[in-house]
Structure formats: structure tokens, C-alpha cells
Amino acid sequence: MPVAEYFSQDYLSARGRFRDAAQSAGAVLQTYELPSHRGPTNEPLTIDLGCIGEREPDRALVILSGTHGVEGFSGSGCQVGVYGRTADFIYRGCRGLANSSSP
């Protein structure tokens, strides 16, 4: 996938790309809905976690995006790129954990 296609124009697209990339990489996905918060089109807001590798690794890589909202689109795009290179990270002994937060 070309790098430009990692990135999205809105929250729902970014979330969908993140989840698709995580599933394609074999990540275990968990979703936590923020029950008292809604997005601009009244969509539920969530925190999606995608974990790759061993359950109790010796070391881990944690990538967060969307913690404050504004950086969510660029961070989510970077995470999509990381999931596309999962084999490289696991081969080098680094386990990945990625988090896509609110818009």
C-alpha cells in the first residue's frame, strides 16, 4: 500500500483502516467505548487496542495516537504503516502494541 493510503480524512475512516490493518497483521483487537462521549456525527467514540506478539514479552513498542484528538489522523496512519511491517518488528524481537484513541 502506498504511504499516502495509510492516512484518513475523518475519524471513522481512520478507525476502520486501523482495525483492518491490525486484523490483517494478526493482532488481537480490543475495543473500549467511551459511553459518555460522542463524535461530531453522534458516532460512538472508542479506544481500539491491537496487540501483536507474545502475551508477556521481554520488551514492547507502544504507539499511541489521538490522545488529544488533533494528532489522531496522522498517528493512526503511522500505526497502519507499522502493522504492514509487523514481521520486521517481531523478527527483531520487538512486540507491538498500538492504540487508536478518540478523534
Side-chain angles (χ1 to χ4, degrees):
M1 168 187 306
V3 171
E5 292 181 18
Y6 296 166
F7 301 95
S8 303
Q9 295 294 319
D10 59 60
Y11 168 71
L12 290 177
S13 298
R15 180 176 187 237
R17 283 186 179 166
F18 172 86
R19 293 181 58 80
D20 290 346
Q23 289 175 329
S24 293
V28 175
L29 280 168
Q30 295 176 308
T31 298
Y32 301 91
E33 186 171 334
L34 306 173
S36 59
H37 295 83
R38 305 298 284 186
T41 60
N42 204 36
E43 71 272 21
L45 299 182
T46 62
I47 297 172
D48 293 302
L49 301 173
C51 299
I52 307 169
E54 300 172 15
R55 277 183 72 80
E56 297 183 24
D58 295 335
R59 52 194 156 168
L61 170 66
V62 178
I63 304 172
L64 302 174
S65 73
T67 306
H68 303 102
V70 176
E71 77 279 7
F73 300 142
S74 60
S76 181
C78 292
Q79 292 166 343
V80 168
V82 166
Y83 276 128
R85 298 187 50 128
T86 301
D88 292 342
F89 286 100
I90 292 175
Y91 174 75
R92 292 185 175 101
C94 186
R95 283 39 170 200
L97 170 77
N99 173 353
S100 176
S101 300
S102 61

